[in-house]
Amino acid sequence: KVGVGLACFLMCTSMLLKGVLFHFIVNEEGGNPGATTYRWTFTRMAPYFIGMLLGYLLYRTNRKAPHTPRTRKLMALGWIVGTASVLVALVTPFGVPEANLHYNPAWTTFYRSMFATGV
């Protein structure tokens, strides 16, 4: 329980710091967008913690799911949400070029985590 809480806290902190750093370094100072992503490790750790939490969930449930109608509906919902989050992360920057999402702090904060959630 402490580990899950710590992983969630670090994941949220990572996303918050990435957005703040991106805003101040790229938007205010005119810096390189790649500098905020690849310069500091903590700006990339949210997708890793999403994977760790999924691995923990699979470990706790022993990779078994009961065969009930409720479970089937939840699994279908999970596939729909996962597919939608991957499509949003991949298609949105190219479908709305006038928004210039590659320089938007909110977008750079969440798009990697959305992709990791879908995968």
Side-chain angles (χ1 to χ4, degrees), residues 6-116:
L6 181 65
C8 290
F9 173 75
L10 289 173
M11 183 174 57
C12 292
T13 303
S14 167
M15 288 190 287
L16 176 73
L17 287 174
K18 171 140 172 104
V20 169
L21 284 172
F22 191 88
H23 173 69
F24 285 112
I25 291 176
V26 176
N27 290 345
E28 296 293 324
E29 297 178 8
N32 181 9
T36 59
T37 302
Y38 299 110
R39 186 178 203 175
W40 298 287
T41 303
F42 61 83
T43 60
R44 303 185 306 272
M45 73 180 174
Y48 296 107
F49 280 112
I50 290 171
M52 289 170 57
L53 290 171
L54 178 62
Y56 178 73
L57 176 69
L58 290 173
Y59 170 76
R60 293 293 291 173
T61 59
N62 201 16
R63 296 182 311 219
K64 293 185 179 164
H67 296 289
T68 63
R70 181 175 183 261
T71 305
R72 289 188 186 115
K73 289 177 187 175
L74 285 174
M75 291 174 95
L77 179 67
W79 277 101
I80 291 168
V81 168
T83 304
S85 65
V86 166
L87 287 175
V88 166
L90 290 177
V91 175
T92 302
F94 303 106
V96 190
E98 64 275 359
N100 200 8
L101 291 176
H102 293 292
Y103 291 96
N104 187 335
W107 176 254
T108 58
T109 300
F110 294 111
Y111 80 98
R112 289 176 186 264
S113 299
M114 282 192 306
F115 185 78

